[in-house]
Amino acid sequence: MLTNLDLYLATASCTELVVYASLGIITVGLGPFLPAWIAEHLTAARRASQGIR
């Protein structure tokens, strides 16, 4: 599988490489904050369903 990915990236255009690099940076940069964001929204939804402000 890694061999196929290596071959694909070796023959990919510059635009594709920039897109993949950007997506990787976003994923690594925002990944740690995602669970807290989800927990906040779940808590808010639970409070709203119970009528708590």
Side-chain angles (χ1 to χ4, degrees), residues 16-51:
E16 288 176 314
L17 293 176
V18 169
V19 168
Y20 288 133
S22 300
L23 290 174
I25 289 168
I26 290 169
T27 302
V28 170
L30 296 179
F33 300 104
L34 187 61
W37 182 75
I38 291 171
E40 269 183 32
H41 285 293
L42 289 176
T43 302
R46 186 172 297 140
R47 286 183 175 177
S49 70
Q50 295 174 351

